[in-house]
Amino acid sequence: MKLYQKKVNGVAVERGVAFPVCVSVNDVICNHSPLGSEEVEPLKAGDIVKIDLGCHIDGYISVAAHTLIVPESPDSPPTSISDEMGNVAVAAYNAMLVAAASIKAGATNTQVTDIVTKVASSYGVNSIFSVRMHQMKRFVIDGVKEVALRHPTADDLEAGEEKLDECTFEQAEVYAVDVAMSTGDGKPRPGVLRTTVFKRNVEANYKLKMKNSRSLLAQVDKKFPTLPFTLAQFEDERGAKMGVTECIAHGLLTPYPVLHEAKDANVAHFKCTVLLLPSGTARVTGLDMPEYFKTDKKPEEDIQQMLDEIAAAAAKKAKKKAAKKKKKKAASS
């Protein structure tokens, strides 16, 4: 692993956190970034853990999310994974792969939603409604162009869900391909966990009355003017918790609430970053799915064909990389 330390005219290029590390366990879907002062239940064998994070170099953002199961011991893989967990993990991962391959210049967000919906249906699971894929720009983690994981029904629209306008992908764009699926109904609900991740609403201004609120906002404007942050990043955590309420009330900060599914639901979350290059779409972040996630269910023929093509391309790339490494090693010896 190499640490990026490039300088321009003797000045280090800005780099850092683009999205705080979140660790969401079991029925918690995403955005759980607990504070140091909070008591958190220790992880135990069999827990479903979703890890989500992002970083940037000079404002150019990459993000990733991964799902794993806590094993009995560090030296052995998890055992006794339910069929339902296997189904939802494979579905979410495969949906991420085919969605990433489908986001290309000339395609539309509704086409990607159709494909993700088809994958979820094949494995008998549901996409999480409020999770969306976003275009990313320099210092902008949630751009104007979005992709829904499923189309809203008439009941969903009546309940207040929003239908996204259709948009077309263009070359040189960057997207966060964010997929979360569940064995439940896919409709997030409130829980007891504190919201700790926020983002500055750069279009809002207000003269705050509380000292803690003014102090918090001043620090946000200086350290986190555009990208999400967590209250754990402030030295005075207590003051930050007191000040954040007024900031939210006047629209100065946008919260990233902790999302929950039903208690008995299994949830999987995978995310990667894709670049729309002249040579095609390139997936630049994201890990391989853990091998212990398995399912007997099969996707539809066209989806399976896409997955086979993605696997073949990945194998070809890995072979080429290994040959290049071998050649470089031989030249240096």
Side-chain angles (χ1 to χ4, degrees):
M1 182 182 293
K2 294 182 180 179
L3 182 64
Y4 186 90
Q5 296 179 321
K6 184 178 179 180
K7 294 184 178 182
V8 177
N9 298 326
V11 180
V13 175
E14 184 180 353
R15 62 190 186 275
V17 175
F19 192 82
V21 175
C22 294
V23 181
S24 305
V25 182
N26 295 331
D27 60 289
V28 181
I29 301 165
C30 59
N31 298 339
H32 184 219
S33 185
L35 304 178
S37 60
E38 295 177 340
E39 287 190 15
V40 180
E41 186 177 339
L43 295 174
K44 60 184 183 298
D47 279 346
I48 309 163
V49 180
K50 285 81 65 182
I51 303 170
D52 188 4
L53 54 87
C55 62
H56 79 91
I57 295 176
D58 197 24
Y60 296 100
I61 302 165
S62 65
V63 293
H66 196 62
T67 298
L68 51 86
I69 304 294
V70 178
E72 292 281 353
S73 69
D75 303 323
S76 60
T79 57
S80 303
I81 297 173
S82 69
D83 292 342
E84 283 195 336
M85 186 63 226
N87 293 340
V88 74
V90 174
Y93 187 77
N94 285 347
M96 182 194 72
L97 292 181
V98 297
S102 301
I103 296 178
K104 52 190 176 184
T108 67
N109 56 347
T110 54
Q111 289 173 327
V112 176
T113 301
D114 289 341
I115 289 172
V116 171
T117 301
K118 186 181 287 189
V119 174
S121 177
S122 296
Y123 291 94
V125 299
N126 287 306
S127 300
I128 303 295
F129 211 129
S130 58
V131 175
R132 290 178 178 172
M133 307 179 200
H134 288 271
Q135 180 188 11
M136 297 190 294
K137 297 184 177 182
R138 190 172 182 230
F139 289 113
V140 178
I141 199 167
D142 46 4
V144 174
K145 294 183 180 181
E146 297 179 288
V147 182
L149 297 189
R150 67 191 208 190
H151 298 293
T153 64
D155 289 341
D156 294 329
L157 293 171
E158 190 175 334
E161 293 291 348
E162 179 187 1
K163 183 177 181 180
L164 296 181
D165 293 331
E166 185 169 276
C167 64
T168 302
F169 308 121
E170 299 176 44
Q171 190 176 300
E173 292 180 336
V174 180
Y175 285 87
V177 182
D178 195 352
V179 178
M181 292 187 174
S182 165
T183 56
D185 60 14
K187 296 181 179 180
R189 58 214 72 196
V192 298
L193 297 177
R194 177 194 295 272
T195 296
T196 61
V197 179
F198 303 89
K199 181 170 69 72
R200 177 70 164 99
N201 181 359
V202 295
E203 297 177 353
N205 288 289
Y206 181 81
K207 192 172 182 179
L208 295 164
K209 296 177 175 58
M210 290 178 56
K211 182 180 177 180
N212 284 321
S213 305
R214 295 195 300 271
S215 174
L216 172 64
L217 189 64
Q219 292 180 72
V220 170
D221 285 341
K222 182 179 179 180
K223 298 178 180 178
F224 318 106
T226 58
L227 295 172
F229 60 89
T230 169
L231 296 183
Q233 292 173 280
F234 296 87
E235 288 186 16
D236 183 7
E237 183 186 296
R238 183 172 176 273
K241 287 192 290 186
M242 293 176 65
V244 74
T245 304
E246 188 182 9
C247 292
I248 295 172
H250 296 288
L252 300 173
L253 298 179
T254 300
Y256 284 73
V258 181
L259 303 180
H260 296 252
E261 244 286 13
K263 276 291 182 184
D264 58 347
N266 293 305
V267 179
H269 185 200
F270 293 97
K271 186 193 298 185
C272 67
T273 304
V274 296
L275 315 179
L276 276 62
L277 304 174
S279 57
T281 300
R283 182 160 50 95
V284 295
T285 66
L287 300 173
D288 292 337
M289 183 182 67
E291 294 181 356
Y292 47 75
F293 287 134
K294 301 181 185 301
T295 180
D296 293 329
K297 294 183 180 292
K298 301 292 182 183
E300 293 186 26
E301 188 176 340
D302 57 337
I303 299 296
Q304 186 60 58
Q305 184 178 345
M306 287 186 69
L307 292 170
D308 291 342
E309 290 172 356
I310 292 167
K316 184 179 179 180
K317 184 178 179 180
K319 186 177 179 180
K320 186 177 179 181
K321 186 177 180 180
K324 187 177 180 181
K325 187 176 180 181
K326 185 178 180 181
K327 185 177 179 181
K328 186 177 180 180
K329 186 177 179 181
S332 62
S333 59

